[in-house]
Amino acid sequence: MNAQQLEYVRLELTRALVDRSGGTKGQLEAFSEHPPANKINSPQQPIYKVELEGERWVNADNAAVYVLEKRSRRRPMPPIKDFEFAAAPWRRAVNLLPEHEQAWLRYCYGFDLTFRYQTLICESIWNEHQKYLPSGLLRKTKKRIISLVWLAVQEVAALHMNDTYKVYAGALLATHLGVSRSTWCEIYALHWQRLKQAAEELDSHALHEVINRKQEHVFEELTA
């Protein structure tokens, strides 16, 4: 795919993976998340019992509440909104990818800051980069290179979503590692570039795979 097609996939993934959990909720969902009474915090209050079929009784955690149904429209809201239904093929394609590629797309384009996703991304890039490490590398130097992995991930992700983003300067990264600028240029600069290249390759491969999985699913539906 060319750059324009990749940018189209990025925009579609951003729409598909955005978190819309803060939208309007139904009464049942609202009461389940914020119950009017909590017997765990107030154990001295009497427990309400509910009779089921077959003369069975169960203890209700919350007291029954009478609420009139209110609607801002004549017809009830549809089970799924139009834009969520349109984005379903993209989400389905993402779910079919390997975990580290899912993690990259959800972090980079869904803005999901789940720590597990960050760990999977760093492990994938570091595993890819280890083949470039010279033999006999000092343990201290290796630790410093590892500390650059997450910075490389953040920089590549920011460059794809923000055209005005300014990349880290070598002097700033040298200060971050606690080394001189000459040491940075001699030892760490090449590793920094290769870490960013590994993140770029992960992004490109994940985007290609997600569009392939989406097209395969469409083809299967047409031939079914």
Side-chain angles (χ1 to χ4, degrees), residues 1 11-12 32 47-49 56 64 68 110 112 121:
M1 291 189 294
L11 292 175
E12 291 298 324
S32 65
I47 297 177
Y48 292 88
K49 292 187 177 182
R56 292 188 302 116
L68 290 175
D112 193 331
I121 295 170

Side-chain angles (χ1 to χ4, degrees), residues 100-162:
H100 67 283
E101 293 182 354
Q102 286 190 44
W104 172 263
L105 295 178
R106 294 184 187 281
Y107 166 75
C108 190
Y109 305 111
F111 310 106
D112 193 331
L113 301 179
T114 302
F115 180 72
R116 179 172 173 272
Y117 293 158
Q118 300 176 21
T119 304
L120 289 171
I121 295 170
C122 291
E123 288 178 350
S124 174
I125 292 178
W126 178 247
N127 291 336
E128 182 67 23
H129 181 71
Q130 287 191 71
K131 61 185 178 183
Y132 298 111
L133 298 179
S135 58
L137 184 67
L138 295 177
R139 185 176 181 182
K140 189 175 184 179
T141 304
K142 185 176 181 179
K143 286 185 176 180
R144 286 172 176 166
I145 297 174
I146 292 175
S147 67
L148 293 173
V149 175
W150 182 239
L151 288 178
V153 170
Q154 290 179 312
E155 179 157 299
V156 172
L159 285 172
H160 287 315
M161 302 305 297
N162 186 0

Side-chain angles (χ1 to χ4, degrees), residues 26-71:
Q27 293 178 352
L28 293 179
E29 186 178 0
F31 280 138
S32 65
E33 294 182 359
H34 303 284
N38 190 339
K39 303 305 176 185
I40 298 177
N41 296 332
S42 304
Q44 301 300 327
Q45 296 183 7
I47 297 177
Y48 292 88
K49 292 187 177 182
V50 180
E51 183 178 5
L52 303 178
E53 296 180 0
E55 297 182 355
R56 292 188 302 116
W57 293 81
V58 295
N59 295 330
D61 293 335
N62 304 322
V65 179
Y66 176 74
V67 180
L68 290 175
E69 184 178 8
K70 297 180 179 179
R71 293 177 182 173

